[in-house]
Amino acid sequence: MAVPGVGLLTRLNLCARRRTRVQRPIVRLLSCPGTVAKDLRRDEQPSGSVETGFEDKIPKRRFSEMQNERREQAQRTVLIHCPEKISENKFLKYLSQFGPINNHFFYESFGLYAVVEFCQKESIGSLQNGTHTPSTAMETAIPFRSRFFNLKLKNQTSERSRIDDQLNTLLKEFQLTEENTKLRYLTCSLIEDMAAAYFPDCIVRPFGSSVNTFGKLGCDLDMFLDLDETRNLSAHKISGNFLMEFQVKNVPSERIATQKILSVLGECLDHFGPGCVGVQKILNARCPLVRFSHQASGFQCDLTTNNRIALTSSELLYIYGALDSRVRALVFSVRCWARAHSLTSSIPGAWITNFSLTMMVIFFLQRRSPPILPTLDSLKTLADAEDKCVIEGNNCTFVRDLSRIKPSQNTETLELLLKEFFEYFGNFAFDKNSINIRQGREQNKPDSSPLYIQNPFETSLNISKNVSQSQLQKFVDLARESAWILQQEDTDRPSISSNRPWGLVSLLLPSAPNRKSFTKKKSNKFAIETVKNLLESLKGNRTENFTKTSGKRTISTQT
Ligand code: GTP
Ligand code: MG
């Protein structure tokens, strides 16, 4: 306790009365300037007291005068529930901005309270004007302007940064390492060698979380067979009266062309691809692909072609990730949280995808005040001629030069953002509204899909069309529960030495009932082991062994 003057036990009339009704509170006058102590003694010795030694101090005032004076004092006084650890000086400095303080004292009674008497009544109005009504995900507050306040610590650097540290640690531990990224590019290059047998000028480009900076160790390797170089060969201008064309086979649609190319490449990888196993041709999907495991690297690979928009989406996410250091840490934590609660899965189905979750975080950060991320439309207005890009009739123009984008003025901590993210989506009107990062505001849903997240480039499409109502409800319930857990931690945060799971770790634990019995019954060792295993499992299905070599981490992966 940072409050000086601890230990002076005083019986306040107020508490003496409460003692008869409620469990005996510990009442401790923690700080009491002389004037207050005098007042209190007066309080304890009403007119007619028989105790000796005090009679001469009893003011010779009428009862009504005394009452009026007391009432007037009380009207200039506020009652504040304080955090356990509070610096008295900072507390007084903070309150003095609302007006001069006549006197104050602290006492304990099921928490720490401060009684603060201002010199002027007007100060109370200005304190009330600087006070907000709290909102929680689970309950509705009835707004009421009283003189009974709850004081919370803001920017408690050592405390707050503990959760911020957790989020940053998670990012550092699970983000793709330099070596892992190199291995991803090498794998693409090896597949490119194979594809070059048919398409000599092709490029196999990684996209998705391997390159958008949101990739977690163990994430799949999305590849895109880029045939634009082959298509654009006609650009070579040759003089003369003739125009030479390749003889080609025509098919009815772009989709059929994609299916044919992938079908042949799938066969090729299956029959001749060194280290390529478990090849599956998934050609009837909305976006046809060949899925296989690349044994040597340990990556689960998805090869697509004609998927330039996805590559552009990766570039957009890369820009958003680079604009503010909080973006990646928040996306990572939300992705890990979703994985820990089986909201996402590596098997396709009715669940939310990591891509959708990332869009939700970006949208949420666009909605902060001031915004942490700009809307896609504002990135478009910053674009120059070089950035102009239209793919299959879709406008994919946005600024690529990061230096042209102004940094955000928002200074909110990661802890606050995580909590607010859960509150925001725990209360989002999913039944009415869609999420749209292009405009950065909610819009009416164009159809009845439970979750509608507008595709940023193909604006008539919903990237979360697959999500069922029950999966969305699970997300909402967990978001509310997580907001509540973080809210509780504001008031009931374990000490640094405690081994009780807290902050992000408590959010990653399986479910609420388990969490309760977990904290009550199991030993600390078990707690630490469970969280460790949980975090291990977050890496994905494959085992990834880390060895530290001269301070640099190297990674070997195996299926
Ligand atoms: P991980 O779960 O870590 O693999 O995340 P990811 O971002 O790589 O997602 P995923 O492998 O499912 O998809 C790869 C990329 O394809 C994404 O980054 C997007 O660019 C794109 N993508 C995924 N799903 C959709 C979708 O529903 N619509 C569109 N237009 N693009 C998608
Ligand atoms: Mg992926």
Side-chain angles (χ1 to χ4, degrees):
M1 175 76 59
V3 178
V6 175
L8 175 58
L9 278 162
T10 305
R11 270 181 290 138
L12 296 170
N13 280 344
L14 162 79
C15 299
R17 242 178 281 130
R18 283 172 66 181
R19 211 174 284 166
T20 58
R21 281 191 285 127
V22 293
Q23 196 190 354
R24 184 180 163 156
I26 308 160
V27 179
R28 200 150 46 117
L29 191 64
L30 294 157
S31 168
C32 184
T35 51
V36 183
K38 203 168 126 224
D39 285 346
L40 284 167
R41 270 190 226 109
R42 259 195 335 232
D43 236 0
E44 288 193 314
Q45 305 299 324
S47 298
S49 165
V50 290
E51 276 193 44
T52 54
F54 286 98
E55 292 85 343
D56 55 335
K57 290 179 188 162
I58 296 172
K60 303 277 182 272
R61 287 176 302 169
R62 284 165 186 264
F63 178 73
S64 58
E65 278 174 357
M66 183 274 291
Q67 278 215 318
N68 287 343
E69 192 184 315
R70 288 283 187 203
R71 266 176 52 76
E72 192 276 328
Q73 264 174 6
Q75 283 162 1
R76 285 184 280 112
T77 304
V78 294
L79 179 60
I80 304 176
H81 179 240
C82 300
E84 278 301 309
K85 286 180 183 160
I86 188 166
S87 146
E88 186 175 21
N89 284 344
K90 285 185 186 162
F91 172 76
L92 292 177
K93 196 171 160 207
Y94 173 75
L95 285 178
S96 306
Q97 52 182 323
F98 303 106
I101 294 168
N102 196 31
N103 59 57
H104 74 284
F105 62 89
F106 290 92
Y107 70 92
E108 266 185 9
S109 170
F110 303 107
L112 179 69
Y113 288 84
V115 173
V116 180
E117 183 192 317
F118 285 99
C119 296
Q120 295 141 5
K121 213 170 164 179
E122 297 74 53
S123 305
I124 297 205
S126 75
L127 172 58
Q128 284 170 327
N129 290 341
T131 302
H132 77 279
T133 303
S135 66
T136 66
M138 307 300 284
E139 292 160 335
T140 305
I142 300 171
F144 190 76
R145 241 171 109 94
S146 78
R147 280 177 293 130
F148 183 14
F149 301 92
N150 199 21
L151 183 74
K152 287 189 164 179
L153 291 177
K154 197 165 98 185
N155 295 330
Q156 339 159 27
T157 42
S158 65
E159 286 291 320
R160 279 204 179 274
S161 68
R162 287 172 61 202
I163 290 193
D164 284 28
D165 282 351
Q166 283 184 325
L167 270 72
N168 285 319
T169 303
L170 193 79
L171 174 65
K172 274 197 207 120
E173 283 299 311
F174 291 103
Q175 69 186 348
L176 301 184
T177 58
E178 173 62 19
E179 293 83 358
N180 194 292
T181 304
K182 277 186 195 294
L183 201 52
R184 283 171 190 266
Y185 275 90
L186 173 61
T187 306
C188 287
S189 182
L190 294 174
I191 301 302
E192 188 178 289
D193 287 349
M194 302 228 29
Y198 296 98
F199 307 103
D201 297 300
C202 75
I203 300 174
V204 174
R205 302 181 190 276
F207 71 99
S209 58
S210 297
V211 297
N212 65 18
T213 69
F214 297 111
K216 180 163 69 64
L217 286 171
C219 70
D220 67 354
L221 172 54
D222 302 291
M223 309 172 178
F224 161 57
L225 177 76
D226 188 350
L227 297 175
D228 272 11
E229 286 296 313
T230 312
R231 287 200 181 99
N232 295 339
L233 280 179
S234 59
H236 291 284
K237 296 249 162 55
I238 294 167
S239 57
N241 292 334
F242 299 99
L243 178 68
M244 192 76 90
E245 279 182 350
F246 284 111
Q247 282 279 352
V248 292
K249 203 158 186 168
N250 290 313
V251 290
S253 69
E254 196 71 50
R255 181 173 168 85
I256 294 174
T258 301
Q259 286 169 331
K260 284 186 179 289
I261 293 168
L262 287 178
S263 177
V264 170
L265 285 181
E267 291 296 320
C268 173
L269 292 173
D270 197 16
H271 294 296
F272 319 119
C276 299
V277 296
V279 179
Q280 288 173 272
K281 295 194 277 181
I282 308 171
L283 303 179
N284 288 324
R286 190 187 73 81
C287 181
L289 62 107
V290 174
R291 178 164 288 170
F292 60 97
S293 290
H294 190 260
Q295 264 186 323
S297 63
F299 298 133
Q300 175 76 29
C301 303
D302 279 353
L303 176 66
T304 57
T305 185
N306 189 27
N307 200 7
R308 190 163 288 278
I309 289 199
L311 191 66
T312 309
S313 302
S314 304
E315 189 175 8
L316 179 67
L317 295 195
Y318 172 88
I319 287 174
Y320 276 129
L323 282 180
D324 190 292
S325 64
R326 290 165 291 185
V327 180
R328 291 180 62 226
L330 201 60
V331 168
F332 244 75
S333 304
V334 171
R335 282 184 173 210
C336 284
W337 167 84
R339 183 77 178 86
H341 293 286
S342 306
L343 284 168
T344 51
S345 166
S346 50
I347 308 159
W351 15 86
I352 299 180
T353 62
N354 280 327
F355 184 54
S356 295
L357 283 174
T358 309
M359 289 293 168
M360 289 168 99
V361 175
I362 291 171
F363 182 74
F364 163 75
L365 296 175
Q366 290 174 336
R367 305 290 300 156
R368 301 308 294 164
S369 177
I372 293 180
L373 288 178
T375 63
L376 180 51
D377 274 345
S378 64
L379 293 182
K380 190 176 154 196
T381 56
L382 292 172
D384 63 15
E386 237 180 276
D387 298 319
K388 280 231 156 64
C389 171
V390 176
I391 303 170
E392 294 157 23
N394 300 296
N395 193 329
C396 300
T397 304
F398 55 88
V399 62
R400 264 76 175 178
D401 178 358
L402 289 167
S403 67
R404 298 229 298 277
I405 309 166
K406 264 200 203 146
S408 167
Q409 297 299 307
N410 183 307
T411 56
E412 288 168 318
T413 63
L414 277 172
E415 175 183 355
L416 180 79
L417 291 171
L418 187 64
K419 191 169 75 187
E420 298 274 314
F421 173 85
F422 290 131
E423 279 205 21
Y424 183 76
F425 284 113
N427 294 294
F428 191 86
F430 287 109
D431 54 335
K432 285 204 303 268
N433 293 331
S434 66
I435 291 160
N436 169 342
I437 68 157
R438 183 163 276 285
Q439 288 166 19
R441 60 185 163 83
E442 300 158 13
Q443 282 185 320
N444 287 339
K445 277 203 301 192
D447 68 32
S448 60
S449 311
L451 176 61
Y452 198 107
I453 304 175
Q454 191 193 59
N455 184 320
F457 299 117
E458 293 165 282
T459 53
S460 62
L461 299 180
N462 172 12
I463 64 160
S464 50
K465 203 180 161 82
N466 62 312
V467 178
S468 66
Q469 183 60 45
S470 64
Q471 282 300 316
L472 176 66
Q473 194 54 49
K474 190 174 163 192
F475 170 86
V476 169
D477 292 345
L478 282 162
R480 287 181 182 181
E481 187 189 283
S482 298
W484 183 80
I485 290 167
L486 290 176
Q487 195 98 37
Q488 294 308 299
E489 295 217 345
D490 262 359
T491 48
D492 176 27
R493 181 164 296 183
S495 70
I496 292 175
S497 56
S498 157
N499 275 326
R500 207 185 93 191
W502 56 273
L504 185 61
V505 176
S506 62
L507 295 188
L508 297 181
L509 291 173
S511 66
N514 292 352
R515 191 178 296 123
K516 267 181 203 145
S517 58
F518 174 92
T519 44
K520 273 187 196 154
K521 292 181 200 152
K522 307 292 178 188
S523 70
N524 289 336
K525 192 165 168 251
F526 176 79
I528 292 162
E529 275 306 303
T530 308
V531 172
K532 225 174 97 187
N533 292 340
L534 184 82
L535 291 175
E536 277 300 312
S537 76
L538 289 174
K539 287 179 191 170
N541 295 334
R542 271 147 289 136
T543 328
E544 305 215 359
N545 302 317
F546 301 95
T547 47
K548 297 218 175 191
T549 331
S550 57
K552 271 183 104 184
R553 188 164 58 184
T554 56
I555 170 172
S556 67
T557 52
Q558 62 202 48
T559 41

